[in-house]
């Protein structure tokens, strides 16, 4: 049985993937904090209501991204779900402050975002563990932790 066939587990997996991609973007920003002309990047926030509709099958409308599957058009492309593919969704941050060299990374803000991302990832991991424990308990194989 594939755990992603359970809507809650699939939602947790998608959230973990987004948080991983967000961590990669934040790491790139921090690594380029002193690079002249580098523009800070951000991932678009996840649409929770759209995620729930996708997983529950409650939404019959076709939205961009829900009807089409990603495909690699070249053998040099990474597989869908890879960090480089997700990082392509990162957009330059507009309207932020810039240093005299044209760099828009504010190191303190990035570090706060990294800490927030880490806390959210820990919460999702705990939810995943708790749900695995509930599934084990339901199957009579112990768990609950």
């Amino acid at each position: 049985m594939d755990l992603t066939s359970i809507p809650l587990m699939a939602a947790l997996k998608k959230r973990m993937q987004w948080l991983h991609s967000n961590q990669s973007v934040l790491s790139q920003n921090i690594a380029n904090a002193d690079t002249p002309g580098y523009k800070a990047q951000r991932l678009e926030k996840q649409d929770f209501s759209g995620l729930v509709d996708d997983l529950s099958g409650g939404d019959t409308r076709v939205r961009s991204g829900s009807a089409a599957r990603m495909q690699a058009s070249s053998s040099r492309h990474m597989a869908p779900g890879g960090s480089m593919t997700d990082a392509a969704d990162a957009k330059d941050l507009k309207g932020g402050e810039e240093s005299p060299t044209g760099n828009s990374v504010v190191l303190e803000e990035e570090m706060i975002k990294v800490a927030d991302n880490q806390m959210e990832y820990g919460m999702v991991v705990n939810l995943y563990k708790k749900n695995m424990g509930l599934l084990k308990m339901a199957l009579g194989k112990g768990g609950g932790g």
Side-chain angles (χ1 to χ4, degrees), residues 34-50:
D34 291 330
T35 305
Y38 182 81
K39 303 293 181 208
Q41 304 210 335
R42 295 281 175 265
L43 283 184
E44 288 186 26
K45 298 266 185 207
Q46 270 185 323
D47 178 22
F48 183 73
S49 62

Side-chain angles (χ1 to χ4, degrees), residues 22 27-28 30 97 102 107 128 130 133 140:
N22 192 42
S27 298
Q28 276 184 324
I30 292 170
E97 61 183 74
L107 201 51
Y128 193 88
K130 292 290 183 187

Side-chain angles (χ1 to χ4, degrees), residues 14-133:
K14 283 187 177 190
R15 183 65 180 164
M16 282 184 189
Q17 288 171 336
W18 185 88
L19 288 167
H20 172 74
S21 298
N22 192 42
Q23 182 70 28
S24 296
V25 170
L26 293 171
S27 298
Q28 276 184 324
N29 287 346
I30 292 170
N32 289 294
D34 291 330
T35 305
Y38 182 81
K39 303 293 181 208
Q41 304 210 335
R42 295 281 175 265
L43 283 184
E44 288 186 26
K45 298 266 185 207
Q46 270 185 323
D47 178 22
F48 183 73
S49 62
L51 179 67
V52 171
D53 287 341
D54 286 346
L55 294 172
S56 67
D59 190 14
T60 56
R61 295 173 289 143
V62 176
R63 288 188 313 273
S64 64
S66 65
R69 297 277 183 238
M70 253 192 326
Q71 275 187 318
S73 59
S74 169
S75 60
R76 293 175 285 163
H77 292 166
M78 290 184 74
S83 60
M84 292 302 291
T85 303
D86 292 336
D89 296 333
K91 303 213 179 347
D92 287 346
L93 185 61
K94 305 282 187 212
E97 61 183 74
E98 277 189 14
S99 70
T101 61
N103 188 309
S104 67
V105 176
V106 179
L107 201 51
E108 292 82 8
E109 289 178 10
E110 297 301 314
M111 295 305 288
I112 289 170
K113 288 181 175 114
V114 166
D116 185 50
N117 197 70
Q118 181 181 3
M119 287 189 307
E120 285 189 44
Y121 194 85
M123 180 189 65
V124 174
V125 167
N126 283 333
L127 286 171
Y128 193 88
K129 284 164 99 175
K130 292 290 183 187
N131 281 294
M132 288 301 295

